[in-house]
């Protein structure tokens, strides 16, 4: 066998190995299609999630370590640390969402629906931000009361975008909360 033939055989073997590897990765990604990806601010790598019980979803980092968990309740859900310490409690109502960092829901943020395509973020009866939606442009606008120009998003309407204006919530936690609220129709 010449060096050229050995090289050709090696290239073919490597190509087949690469194709099999890609096919396996595609299959694994397809099997994990129920997982949610969320950007993590700590290392800018996506978090994956999966339901571990009927009422609990766990979020994993790239090292497959649990970072967060969501515990579902009939009237909302809780975002907790990997050790089940409360970060954010979300209570759902027909016309508002309460977001608090304590079990008693003391001093909560509230997302209040004001119209079919309008909502506001309120805390202690003070409006912090507002959102509106233009269905013709398919654009949602979110602005704090002090903003000269609102942020525009090319998305379907979701009042959950107001969470981006709660500075106490870390970005990766905001992403999880917004996704969970969107899944529940908010």
């Amino acid at each position: 066998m010449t060096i050229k033939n050995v090289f050709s055989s090696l290239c073919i073997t490597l190509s087949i190995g690469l194709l099999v590897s890609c096919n396996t990765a595609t299959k694994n990604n397809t099997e994990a299609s129920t997982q949610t990806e969320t950007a993590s601010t700590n290392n800018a790598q996506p978090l994956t999630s999966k339901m571990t019980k009927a009422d609990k979803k766990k979020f994993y980092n790239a090292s497959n370590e649990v970072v967060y968990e969501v515990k579902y309740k009939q009237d909302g859900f809780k975002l907790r640390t990997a050790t089940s310490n409360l970060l954010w409690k979300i209570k759902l109502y027909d016309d508002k969402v309460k977001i608090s960092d304590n079990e008693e829901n003391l001093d909560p943020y509230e997302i209040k629906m004001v119209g079919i395509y309008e909502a506001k973020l309120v805390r202690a009866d003070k409006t912090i931000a507002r959102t509106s939606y233009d269905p013709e442009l398919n654009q949602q606008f979110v602005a704090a009361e002090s903003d000269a120009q609102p942020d525009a998003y090319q998305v379907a309407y979701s009042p959950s975008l107001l969470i981006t204006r709660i500075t106490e919530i870390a970005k990766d936690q905001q992403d999880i909360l917004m996704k969970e609220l969107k899944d529940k129709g908010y």
Side-chain angles (χ1 to χ4, degrees):
M1 204 176 229
T2 67
I3 292 178
K4 185 177 179 183
N5 289 342
V6 170
F7 183 72
S8 293
S9 294
L10 182 61
C11 286
I12 290 171
T13 303
L14 287 174
S15 296
I16 290 171
L18 183 61
L19 288 173
V20 168
S21 173
C22 288
N23 188 34
T24 302
T26 302
K27 182 179 177 186
N28 289 342
N29 286 342
T30 303
E31 290 172 357
S33 63
T34 59
Q35 295 183 348
T36 305
E37 290 194 7
T38 307
S40 170
T41 55
N42 298 342
N43 54 13
Q45 293 185 10
L47 297 178
T48 56
S49 68
K50 68 178 178 181
M51 295 296 294
T52 56
K53 294 183 181 177
D55 65 343
K56 191 181 289 183
K57 182 189 290 183
K58 292 193 177 190
F59 291 82
Y60 302 85
N61 63 16
S63 302
N64 206 30
E65 299 166 327
V66 176
V67 182
Y68 300 112
E69 66 180 29
V70 169
K71 175 79 171 168
Y72 298 100
K73 300 287 185 181
Q74 186 174 1
D75 61 348
F77 59 93
K78 297 175 183 179
L79 178 61
R80 305 188 303 191
T81 64
T83 57
S84 298
N85 293 325
L86 179 69
L87 292 168
W88 299 100
K89 180 178 180 178
I90 310 300
K91 199 128 170 139
L92 305 173
Y93 300 87
D94 290 338
D95 60 344
K96 67 182 172 185
V97 174
K98 284 187 177 182
I99 305 161
S100 58
D101 61 358
N102 59 78
E103 289 289 351
E104 298 77 27
N105 248 352
L106 300 174
D107 196 27
Y109 286 95
E110 293 180 296
I111 297 175
K112 294 184 176 185
M113 309 331 152
V114 228
I116 189 165
Y117 290 126
E118 293 180 63
K120 62 183 179 178
L121 178 65
V122 178
R123 189 173 201 187
D125 292 326
K126 181 180 178 222
T127 300
I128 298 167
R130 295 181 178 273
T131 186
S132 61
Y133 180 74
D134 185 332
E136 290 179 16
L137 298 174
N138 192 34
Q139 269 191 325
Q140 184 167 345
F141 302 95
V142 178
E145 291 296 297
S146 60
D147 289 350
Q149 185 72 21
D151 293 333
Y153 299 88
Q154 201 73 29
V155 295
Y157 176 69
S158 175
S160 68
L161 273 175
L162 285 167
I163 287 178
T164 62
R165 297 310 176 126
I166 303 175
T167 57
E168 292 91 340
I169 302 177
K171 173 77 171 92
D172 57 345
Q173 296 170 19
Q174 286 179 355
D175 293 342
I176 292 169
L177 294 175
M178 287 187 298
K179 169 87 173 83
E180 292 295 325
L181 286 171
K182 285 179 187 176
D183 288 350
K184 297 193 177 314
Y186 291 90

